[in-house]
Amino acid sequence: GRHAVEHGKTFAVNLSAPYVCTKLRGPLIEILQYSDLVFGNSDEAVALSNAAGWDEGEDVRGIIKRIAALPTKRSSDRTVVITKQEKPVLLYHNSKITEFPVIPVREVTIVTASVYRAHTMDLARVIAI
C-alpha cells in the first residue's frame, strides 16, 4: 500500500472474509488507509463494523459510508463496492451510493482445468488398458 501511495498507483483491498475483518481488524484498518478501492460482501462489512464497534448494525449502506470515511493517506476519495448474493451491488463513489442490479445467471456446470486434467488422466488410463 505504501508503495502505491508513493508512486501514484491505484491500490485495491478485498475484505477477504468475516474472520479477517474480526481477528485481523487492526492490520486491515491500517492497510485500508492506503486503499483507493475496497471490495467485499455484506457479511464481511458487517463483521468489520461489529469488530470496530460501529453502531450501524447490519445497515450496509451506513457501513459502506464508514469504510469510505476511514482515515486515508490518499489524496482522492475511496471507492467501496459491497455485494450481497443476488441483491444489488452497492457502489460508494464521490460521496454517493449507487445500486447495480445483479443479473441472474442460469445454473451451469463449470469445468476447471484441474478437473479437465483429472478427466484426461482417467481417459488415458482407459486407453492404456
Side-chain angles (χ1 to χ4, degrees):
R2 199 171 288 124
H3 174 83
V5 170
E6 290 169 0
H7 298 317
K9 298 179 181 224
T10 301
F11 185 64
V13 176
N14 188 312
L15 297 178
S16 302
Y19 77 89
V20 170
C21 297
T22 55
K23 303 281 186 199
L24 301 171
R25 179 186 59 83
L28 177 61
I29 297 289
E30 188 171 325
I31 289 168
L32 288 174
Q33 68 183 325
Y34 298 101
S35 68
D36 296 287
L37 302 164
V38 178
F39 297 93
N41 66 43
S42 59
D43 293 336
E44 296 158 351
V46 169
L48 178 60
S49 176
N50 290 338
W54 300 339
D55 58 358
E56 273 71 16
E58 295 197 12
D59 173 19
V60 178
R61 288 175 163 275
I63 296 168
I64 201 171
K65 290 176 185 176
R66 283 279 199 140
I67 294 170
L70 286 169
T72 181
K73 299 213 181 266
R74 309 302 292 201
S75 59
S76 58
D77 290 337
R78 181 179 292 122
T79 297
V80 184
V81 179
I82 300 294
T83 63
K84 185 168 184 170
Q85 299 167 347
E86 72 281 349
K87 294 191 174 158
V89 173
L90 298 178
L91 168 71
Y92 184 89
H93 181 70
N94 291 333
S95 302
K96 180 179 149 191
I97 295 177
T98 306
E99 288 189 11
F100 294 91
V102 173
I103 300 167
V105 178
R106 66 179 176 83
E107 192 171 318
V108 296
T109 302
I110 298 173
V111 178
T112 65
S114 58
V115 170
Y116 177 75
R117 281 193 295 274
H119 176 67
T120 303
M121 293 303 291
D122 288 342
L123 184 58
R125 279 190 221 119
V126 169
I127 293 171
I129 294 178

